[in-house]
Amino acid sequence: MSSSRPFRSALAAALALACMPALAAEYSGTVFFGDSLTDSGHFRGALPPELQPLAGKFTSNPGLVWAEHLADRYGGNGRTDGEGGDNYAQGGSKVTVPSGQADSTVAQVAHYLGTRGGSADPDALYSVWTGANDIFAVARGEAPAQGLAVSAGGVVQMVGSLQAAGARYILVPNLPDMGITPDAIAAGPAAQGALSQLSASYNDAMYGALAAAGHRVIPLDTYNMLREVVASPATYGLRNVTEPGCMAPGGNSLACYPALYVTPDAADSYLFADGVHPSAAGHAILADYAVSVLEGPRLVSVVPHSATVIGRARADQVASHLAAGAPPEGMHWWGGLRADNQRYAHADLYDGIAPAGLFGMDWSNGNGLVFGTFAGYGKLDADFGQRRGGFEQSDTTLGGFVGWYGQRAWVNAQASWTRLDIEVTREVAMGPAVRSHRGDSDGRNIGVGVSGGYAFGEGALRHGPVAALLWQQVKIDGWDEDNLSSTALAYPELARDSLIGSLGWQASYDAGAFTPYLRATWDHDFEDAPGQARASLRTVAGMEYAVPGVDFDDDYGSVVLGARFELFGLAADLGARTTVNRKGGSDNGLFLGLSGGF
């Protein structure tokens, strides 16, 4: 019974990761450098043969370390480099100098680059997490405290080497508060305070040196994260955060396996496997934290994209409100309702409904020339899915319209200004706990569009080419998330330019009482979505980072099917629209338009 519990935990973690939404192939793989906090089995061969299948990692074996969780999610097998994997971390590693049988972390990076001709995959996710053993050396009096500046400089050296070789996405976690580990507690308050201070000083020196060198990295604030877990263990499903969960020989979790757990559920209920290393549960929480930092900017980056999708639906409604031709001379009114739906990555990226309304006034000279103004309001309520929160986006629009309509040809143009009000709620799952971060912002969307077409045919059936061009520029002010903690993020200004060209064919049939029509276009956005999404941790000042942006399709098709008829003495237009061949997403909607004269 005792040996089956960790296997169930590992299986549950694997299933949870398999169910996590893949927003796209964010990274081509994962590569890890560091010490025992990241080591996935480098010294397994040093154990007695009978223990090698059971242990070999510095945790409550056979549980996964955080690096293995990330490799499962973002690509890679998580195995050590000696086993053919891309995890170069070695237990006992110091930053710049070898330690016992462990290479320095600097040497790990040099070895990796040396085996690849000095180049690094620019699309891979890298991690450099090191320095804990340097601090232990200082605490034991084996090294001077001033040497920690050299250690921090070693991290700068590694990051610089990786970036010079082409790496773009490098995780650099700071050190956890080593003063609240079981070993520190057992050593007494003075030792606890000294280790906490050394950890904090090293973290400040490391991030300060990285910033001074101009290196952009992805920080993880494990210092505050660990303190938050220890302050409220039950929230994270833990029962003990002060004692080791394993009775391994020598107190080292490298040889920890289920038969040595202090309780059968220690891998799940204890934060620490030994005096300094996290348990399987601790590593799972750490992995969840890393995922939240990596995915948060990507989730938020969909907000300006959603504004362009709504803007295009609105522009199409304005452009087509006189599809039956110019009205008689004089003033006329028109109005419309829409119910749009945006659904991406099978709702794993986001899924939302956006009801909206438009009202306009036109003046016609009776010879095909029409001028007008319009105003509208809409609200999108979107869900990120998978316990990740969502966002609400309200839009208020003012605009102008001009068009010319002949017997066969027509052309119109429009310009609009839209105020955006945004409210984003991001939920962060860390083990069984779910944190919620909320932020408000506002922005605007400027749109300019032109469309036209020509109709062939003499009888009831009319058909011909259509074309359109719509430019939009969305800008949303940056904001800070509330609930200040290690997972809270701050975002700079979000911007998205879009220039959609559409070319297709439309057909209509005048059946007397109603006129059904069909329009199909191939659409291309000449502006790419931003290649990167940016954010910063609110608890780590001056460390803005970048992750891959969400890649939306530039080419897709649109189909509109509807009918024009008379309703209560008013001209009515009822129909539906959809996008086709938009990989991973769809934009659909229903609409109803009404118009009349004064």
Side-chain angles (χ1 to χ4, degrees):
M1 178 71 177
S2 63
S3 63
S4 66
R5 180 62 181 253
F7 287 98
R8 293 200 303 271
S9 299
L11 177 61
L15 290 173
L17 284 167
C19 295
M20 285 182 175
L23 305 191
E26 297 102 314
Y27 304 101
S28 59
T30 49
V31 184
F32 301 92
F33 309 101
D35 52 31
S36 56
L37 291 172
T38 305
D39 187 341
S40 60
H42 182 83
F43 294 110
R44 184 177 286 112
L47 294 173
E50 65 273 14
L51 287 185
Q52 291 180 18
L54 302 174
K57 293 178 283 189
F58 295 87
T59 187
S60 44
N61 292 279
L64 303 180
V65 299
W66 76 283
E68 292 174 290
H69 286 296
L70 256 65
D72 283 346
R73 180 181 175 87
Y74 293 118
N77 51 40
R79 296 195 300 268
T80 69
D81 62 309
E83 299 170 320
D86 286 318
N87 189 330
Y88 293 79
Q90 300 176 20
S93 178
K94 294 181 180 179
V95 179
T96 61
V97 296
S99 176
Q101 295 180 325
D103 296 330
S104 71
T105 316
V106 168
Q108 296 169 21
V109 173
H111 174 64
Y112 168 79
L113 294 176
T115 60
R116 287 158 177 77
S119 65
D121 183 352
D123 297 320
L125 174 66
Y126 298 84
S127 174
V128 176
W129 193 12
T130 183
N133 291 305
D134 299 72
I135 286 180
F136 285 138
V138 172
R140 291 191 297 262
E142 299 170 3
Q146 295 85 341
L148 293 181
V150 176
S151 301
V155 175
V156 175
Q157 176 187 339
M158 287 182 280
V159 169
S161 297
L162 288 168
Q163 290 183 343
R168 295 186 294 168
Y169 306 110
I170 306 174
L171 271 171
V172 181
N174 63 15
L175 292 182
D177 183 352
M178 295 160 63
I180 54 178
T181 61
D183 276 1
I185 294 172
Q192 283 189 272
L195 282 169
S196 293
Q197 183 58 48
L198 284 171
S199 303
S201 298
Y202 173 83
N203 292 339
D204 290 343
M206 180 187 68
Y207 282 152
L210 286 167
H215 295 316
R216 174 177 284 179
V217 299
I218 306 169
L220 291 183
D221 187 6
T222 69
Y223 185 92
N224 283 303
M225 189 275 287
L226 180 65
R227 293 167 67 92
E228 292 159 2
V229 173
V230 168
S232 183
T235 302
Y236 302 90
L238 301 173
R239 188 172 65 249
N240 190 309
V241 295
T242 59
E243 298 173 313
C246 192
M247 299 179 292
N252 190 328
S253 60
L254 178 67
C256 173
Y257 65 103
L260 300 180
Y261 291 174
V262 297
T263 64
D265 66 345
D268 301 309
S269 60
Y270 277 61
L271 178 59
F272 293 98
D274 59 21
V276 294
H277 297 107
S279 66
H283 275 289
I285 292 170
L286 175 59
D288 286 342
Y289 173 46
V291 168
S292 77
V293 173
L294 292 166
E295 296 299 335
R298 288 171 56 79
L299 289 176
V300 168
S301 73
V302 307
V303 176
H305 168 79
S306 73
T308 66
V309 173
I310 292 172
R312 193 203 172 188
R314 180 174 55 241
D316 185 65
Q317 190 174 15
V318 173
S320 62
H321 81 275
L322 290 177
E329 181 179 3
M331 296 291 296
H332 304 268
W333 65 268
W334 62 276
L337 297 174
R338 299 192 321 273
D340 299 326
N341 172 247
Q342 300 179 35
R343 184 180 177 88
Y344 286 82
H346 307 292
D348 286 336
L349 179 52
Y350 76 100
D351 182 22
I353 300 292
L358 271 174
F359 182 82
M361 301 284 291
D362 289 336
W363 175 83
S364 172
N365 72 350
N367 292 314
L369 186 63
V370 180
F371 296 91
T373 61
F374 57 90
Y377 177 80
K379 185 172 184 177
L380 170 68
D381 189 357
D383 185 356
F384 289 138
Q386 300 284 339
R387 293 195 310 169
R388 295 181 304 162
F391 65 98
E392 294 182 355
Q393 177 180 273
S394 300
D395 56 271
T396 305
T397 301
L398 295 174
F401 171 87
V402 59
W404 176 84
Y405 299 83
Q407 290 296 318
R408 295 185 178 276
W410 56 270
V411 63
N412 62 53
Q414 60 178 288
S416 65
W417 177 89
T418 300
R419 173 185 168 84
L420 302 172
D421 292 296
I422 312 294
E423 180 179 314
V424 180
T425 300
R426 190 173 61 92
E427 294 181 348
V428 177
M430 295 177 64
V434 179
R435 297 182 181 181
S436 183
H437 296 286
R438 180 182 171 278
D440 297 325
S441 185
D442 51 45
R444 48 88 168 165
N445 181 5
I446 297 175
V448 177
V450 60
S451 59
Y454 189 87
F456 298 102
E458 298 294 340
L461 178 64
R462 306 291 294 269
H463 64 93
V466 291
L469 191 65
L470 175 64
W471 173 79
Q472 297 181 85
Q473 184 182 72
V474 176
K475 289 188 176 181
I476 299 172
D477 295 338
W479 72 91
D480 295 346
E481 292 181 334
D482 66 0
N483 186 16
L484 182 61
S485 62
S486 60
T487 49
L489 299 179
Y491 306 96
E493 179 185 78
L494 305 180
R496 173 75 165 99
D497 285 353
S498 175
L499 180 61
I500 300 174
S502 303
L503 185 64
W505 207 266
Q506 70 175 7
S508 64
Y509 187 84
D510 187 353
F514 70 100
T515 302
Y517 63 88
L518 173 68
R519 182 171 75 250
T521 61
W522 185 254
D523 310 305
H524 175 75
D525 196 330
F526 294 94
E527 298 279 1
D528 293 329
Q532 295 183 326
R534 296 177 296 148
S536 59
L537 289 175
R538 292 198 62 193
T539 56
V540 179
M543 296 293 291
E544 183 177 279
Y545 65 94
V547 297
V550 179
D551 185 20
F552 294 99
D553 289 336
D554 291 331
D555 293 284
Y556 51 94
S558 298
V559 176
V560 179
L561 177 64
R564 292 184 288 272
F565 52 94
E566 186 174 301
L567 180 66
F568 304 122
L570 303 174
D573 185 2
L574 177 66
R577 61 175 187 83
T578 187
T579 56
V580 294
N581 197 35
R582 190 159 200 172
K583 298 176 183 177
S586 63
D587 309 318
N588 307 302
L590 302 173
F591 60 86
L592 170 65
L594 298 171
S595 61
F598 290 98

